Amino acid sequence: AVSHRGLMDAPVDSGAARWWRDPGLVVSAVAGVLLCAFALTVNFPKAAFGFQSDGATYYALGHSLARDGDFTFEREDLVRVREEFPTGPEGIFPKKGRDVSRAVAARFPFPAWRPAPAARSDRLYFAKSYAYPLAAAPFVFLFGTNGFLLLHALVLAMCLWLGYVWLAATCPRAVAIAYALAFLFASAAPVYLVWLTPEVFNLGLMFAGTFLWSYKLVAPSTARPAPAKGLVCVGWAASRFVRLPASDLAAAVLLGVAAFSKPTNVFAIGPLLLLALWQRRWRHALATGAVFAVVVLGMFAGN
C-alpha cells in the first residue's frame, strides 16, 4: 500500500498504523535528537577553527538581530565577536545605508521609490542576505552561538523525514529510509552543520520547497476519511495540503526565500513553472511565478 499511495495515505486504525510505529519517523526523530544534543552541548568557539567562508558576517548579524534587534554593524557587535573568538572576525561585509522616499511618477507605474544616500554617514549595515540570520535569531537568543547549530540540526532532521516520506511513496520503507540517510549523511551536508553559513538553511528551503510541489506527483490523492484527533489527524491534514494547488504557492515562497539567500537558487522555480505550463495550467503558472517574484523582489527591496 505504501509503495503505491504514499506513507501519508497509510490506512488509519486504532493501533498498527500509528505514526510513532513508523520506522522512518523513529529514525528521523532519533537522528534529530542526536544532532540537537550535539548542537547544544559542543563548545563551538573552542572546537571551531575560526570562521569559515562568510561565517563572521552571518555570526555578527545573527547576534545583532538576537541581542540588539537591528541590522547595524556597531562597536558592540565587534566586541561580541571577540568575546568568543579572540582573533576577531575574519572578514565582515558592511555597506552604507540608503534613505528611500516615496513619490508619484508621471508614467506607469505611478508610485515610485527614490533611494538616496543615508542622512547618517557614520552608520554601517551588514551587506549579506538576512534570511539565514533572521531565521537563526530566535535560537541564538535562547542558546547563544549554539543556536545556529541547533537550527542546522533541526533542518537536517526535517530533510531526512521529508526525503523518507517522498521515497516511501515509491519503494519499501526500509529502502526509503536507507536511501534518505545515504543522500544526506553520505554527502557533504553534515560538514556544514558546524559552519555558520547558510548552506544547511538553503538546503532545507530547497528540500522543503521541492517536496511541497513534487510529492503529489509520486503519491496521488486517495479518498479517505479524516481521523478524529491526534498526530494522525495532523498528518492527514498535511497529506491533503501537499496535494492542493496551494502547496505549489507555499513551495514558491520557500524557493523565493532560497533565491534571496543565494541568487543562483533562482533556477529552482523552473521545474515547477514548466510543469504547470506543460499541464496547460496557465493561471496557476502565472500565480506561482508571481508569488515567487514578489517574495524575491520584496526581500531584496527590504534589504
Side-chain angles (χ1 to χ4, degrees), residues 56-264:
T57 300
Y58 293 112
Y59 170 95
L61 178 52
H63 276 283
S64 182
L65 290 170
R67 308 299 179 188
D68 305 329
D70 60 40
F71 294 84
T72 58
F73 178 54
E74 301 171 314
R75 181 179 184 278
E76 290 77 7
D77 299 299
L78 183 59
V79 171
R80 190 179 293 124
V81 175
R82 291 186 178 277
E83 289 177 352
E84 290 192 314
F85 296 90
T87 57
E90 298 174 8
I92 292 286
F93 289 83
K95 66 178 180 180
K96 293 184 177 181
R98 304 280 288 177
D99 288 335
V100 181
S101 60
R102 290 178 294 177
V104 179
R107 298 180 179 180
F108 181 85
F110 300 105
W113 299 88
R114 294 179 178 175
R120 291 190 55 173
S121 60
D122 61 338
R123 178 173 291 177
L124 295 176
Y125 300 86
F126 294 95
K128 288 292 183 180
S129 165
Y130 58 81
Y132 166 61
L134 188 62
F139 301 97
V140 175
F141 178 80
L142 294 173
F143 303 103
T145 301
N146 289 64
F148 288 103
L149 307 186
L150 180 60
L151 173 63
H152 299 171
L154 293 173
V155 168
L156 285 178
M158 177 201 70
C159 290
L160 178 60
W161 165 241
L162 293 181
Y164 164 72
V165 170
W166 198 96
L167 290 164
T170 60
C171 63
R173 296 186 181 188
V175 176
I177 191 59
Y179 192 86
L181 283 168
F183 184 83
L184 284 172
F185 296 103
S187 66
V191 176
Y192 291 99
L193 176 68
V194 293
W195 281 33
L196 304 186
T197 54
E199 272 70 19
V200 173
F201 175 72
N202 293 341
L203 170 67
L205 290 172
M206 300 279 280
F207 215 101
T210 303
F211 177 88
L212 282 173
W213 70 261
S214 67
Y215 182 72
K216 62 178 71 69
L217 303 179
V218 296
S221 178
T222 56
R224 60 182 281 232
K229 59 181 180 179
L231 289 176
V232 177
C233 181
V234 176
W236 176 84
S239 70
R240 290 294 301 270
F241 174 75
V242 296
R243 294 180 176 87
L244 295 175
S247 65
D248 290 352
L249 301 181
V253 172
L254 295 180
L255 296 177
V257 177
F260 168 70
S261 182
K262 189 170 185 178
T264 52

Side-chain angles (χ1 to χ4, degrees), residues 3-15:
S3 64
H4 292 285
R5 295 186 302 171
L7 180 65
M8 288 187 175
D9 285 324
V12 177
D13 57 37
S14 59

